[in-house]
Amino acid sequence: MAEPAKPQPGTIRTVSSREVYRNPWLSLREDVVERPDGTRGIYSVVDRPDYAVVIAAERDGFHLVDQYRYPIGARRWEFPQGCFPQGRTGTAEELGRAELSEETGLSARSWTALGTLSAWHGASGQEATVFLATDLRTGVPRREHEEQDMRHRWFPRAEFERMVREGAIRDDSTLAAYLLLLLHERAA
């Protein structure tokens, strides 16, 4: 799980903290805070493990996964992404490799870290490391039980961008990762 950020001078200070809820994927804590003017309040924070987002690219296109997202009651296309299961740890690249293989069956010989995203910085310290994976090899997906309805498909870049414009791709991590890719390509 992401460690709470260290307070900076003149910012909100944590007075006390208590865990309100925990399950295998997240915990919720309620902090009593003190603002710079001395007034107190409550801040709720969702603690989740950091995750990886993988842009698996080849032939001027991308491999995406689609799954039903229960909170919004809809299926969504997105770049492969996820966090280590409870009790497992490793580097961000190891996580990216595991997620790509589990969700798509693909492996990559080339990995480039594109940047780090704050996932939900208004309510969580969770961060995502974005990778570009190239020189891909095909394999068999080994999805987690919760991903049993997941689908995987390659899309040409033009179709991916059309899907973004039309709202078929709405995942914030996917959209922010694509921006990091565009900046990386522009700098190359």
Side-chain angles (χ1 to χ4, degrees), residues 30-50:
E30 185 176 271
D31 294 351
V32 174
V33 298
E34 184 177 273
R35 296 177 192 89
D37 69 358
T39 60
R40 290 195 173 185
I42 294 174
Y43 210 103
S44 298
V45 179
V46 177
D47 289 315
R48 289 192 41 119
D50 290 343

Side-chain angles (χ1 to χ4, degrees), residues 36 51 57 65 71 73 78 88 127 134 144 164 174 179:
Y51 66 108
V65 293
E78 59 196 42
R88 242 178 83 198
E127 292 190 331
T134 57
E144 297 172 0
V164 169
T174 296
L179 174 60

Side-chain angles (χ1 to χ4, degrees), residues 156-167:
R157 185 184 292 241
E159 186 174 354
F160 172 86
E161 290 181 353
R162 179 191 57 75
M163 292 167 69
V164 169
R165 280 191 306 275
E166 294 176 359

Side-chain angles (χ1 to χ4, degrees), residues 45-130:
V45 179
V46 177
D47 289 315
R48 289 192 41 119
D50 290 343
Y51 66 108
V53 179
V54 182
I55 302 172
E58 65 181 350
R59 303 182 324 271
D60 198 31
F62 310 108
H63 290 268
L64 301 177
V65 293
D66 167 76
Q67 62 186 314
Y68 181 77
R69 293 297 193 177
Y70 177 79
I72 62 170
R75 298 190 70 84
R76 291 289 188 257
W77 286 103
E78 59 196 42
F79 289 134
Q81 58 190 279
C83 52
F84 280 122
Q86 188 177 23
R88 242 178 83 198
T89 61
T91 67
E93 184 175 317
E94 290 168 338
L95 175 56
R97 288 178 183 275
E99 286 300 316
L100 181 63
S101 176
E102 288 170 11
E103 293 185 0
T104 68
L106 297 170
S107 61
R109 288 190 182 176
S110 176
W111 287 82
T112 304
L114 299 179
T116 303
L117 306 172
S118 292
W120 187 23
H121 64 266
S124 179
Q126 183 184 38
E127 292 190 331
T129 304
V130 178

